[in-house]
Amino acid sequence: MIAAAALSVFLLAQAAPAACPVSARHLVANEGLDDSRAAVASGQLVILAMGSSSIEGAGASQPGLGFVPLLEAGLERRLQGVEVTVINRGIGGETTKETAARLEREITARRPDLVIWQLGTNDVLRDRSMDDVFADFRQGEAVLDRADVDVLLIDPQRLPDGTTNPSFRGRNPALGEMSRLIDLEGGRVGYAVLHRFSAMSDWSGLERGGIGPDDLHLNDQGYACWAEITAEGLAAALR
């Protein structure tokens, strides 16, 4: 018999909150997912998820309610007959520079078909220049291209407009600009892009807009909604 806690996780993993507008429109493939489509056709897809605390799952009430396990469940529901493995290699607090520095060893160790790279939020919160961020991005791009893997970029999250935290107040314009530039870079190099920042503008029906009490990390509803829109868009692109 499934324990009550495990059953709760299982049920929550099956669908986004009712207030979440699930749509494939937030993901743009940019003709960059050919290897992943071949992996799906073979019946086995391996995804390496890289980034900072939102990949790691900070703020989720249980490990099974973070983005990575929910994405894996969402893809397996949509890609019937395909064994999907999503490997969580998020490290809270990382900037683009720090993630780029470990891409090569993580890819070598995991041998994924697709790398998810969530980036940009911590760079903005630390007031790093856009020039520096995208110089770091291009270092990572060189690693990814040598590895010949598909890439899905995930842009920054949106912060609560009414936050009273002085470190977060007024940051959304810069986060939006970072998202715009990530979208341009994805189109330039042929990486898929998930537009998380714009998607979150439709999350007003979620508890606290999908953000936890620290005004930064996603809550369970936020993770569930983000995972579902990613799974919806990615599965549509891979089918």
Side-chain angles (χ1 to χ4, degrees):
M1 181 179 292
I2 300 175
L7 179 59
S8 174
V9 170
F10 176 81
L11 291 174
L12 283 168
Q14 299 312 295
C20 175
V22 177
S23 169
R25 68 183 174 87
H26 300 294
L27 190 144
V28 178
N30 288 324
E31 301 182 358
L33 295 171
D34 288 346
D35 290 345
S36 299
R37 291 189 188 96
V40 167
S42 77
Q44 189 169 35
L45 174 66
V46 178
I47 300 173
L48 173 63
M50 300 283 292
S52 56
S53 58
S54 59
I55 293 293
E56 188 178 29
S61 64
Q62 302 178 46
L65 298 181
F67 171 74
V68 167
L70 295 182
L71 175 63
E72 183 176 285
L75 286 172
E76 288 201 327
R77 290 200 314 275
R78 291 167 171 84
L79 301 172
Q80 293 293 313
V82 180
E83 180 184 351
V84 179
T85 301
V86 186
I87 302 165
N88 188 338
R89 295 299 296 155
I91 297 179
E94 275 199 343
T95 63
T96 299
K97 181 181 182 67
E98 292 161 334
T99 305
R102 63 186 178 95
L103 275 172
E104 186 166 15
R105 68 176 181 270
E106 297 285 5
I107 292 170
T108 299
R110 317 293 172 175
R111 303 180 66 83
D113 305 296
L114 171 65
V115 174
I116 291 176
W117 187 358
Q118 170 262 319
L119 70 161
T121 302
N122 287 325
D123 298 285
V124 170
L125 295 181
R126 296 183 188 182
D127 297 312
R128 301 190 68 227
S129 75
M130 297 292 182
D131 286 346
D132 287 347
V133 172
F134 286 99
D136 298 333
F137 172 81
R138 291 183 182 104
Q139 292 293 319
E141 177 193 340
V143 172
L144 293 162
D145 290 352
R146 286 197 302 270
D148 193 26
V149 293
D150 290 346
V151 181
L152 169 62
L153 303 177
I154 295 181
D155 67 18
Q157 68 190 74
R158 183 182 294 270
L159 299 177
D161 288 323
T163 181
T164 58
N165 186 320
S167 297
F168 304 153
R169 190 187 303 124
R171 296 285 192 170
N172 279 333
L175 291 167
E177 177 63 6
M178 177 68 77
S179 300
R180 186 185 72 83
L181 294 174
I182 288 171
D183 185 54
L184 289 175
E185 287 294 297
R188 178 183 68 83
V189 299
Y191 294 166
V193 180
L194 189 281
H195 299 134
R196 177 171 57 156
F197 183 83
S198 63
M200 289 181 70
S201 65
D202 295 329
W203 289 9
S204 59
L206 302 186
E207 179 186 355
R208 293 180 51 86
I211 304 293
D214 65 357
D215 284 351
L216 175 63
H217 297 107
L218 300 185
N219 59 25
D220 288 349
Q221 288 195 353
Y223 277 121
C225 193
W226 174 29
E228 282 293 287
I229 64 172
T230 306
E232 185 78 2
L234 193 52
L238 296 181
R239 285 195 296 260

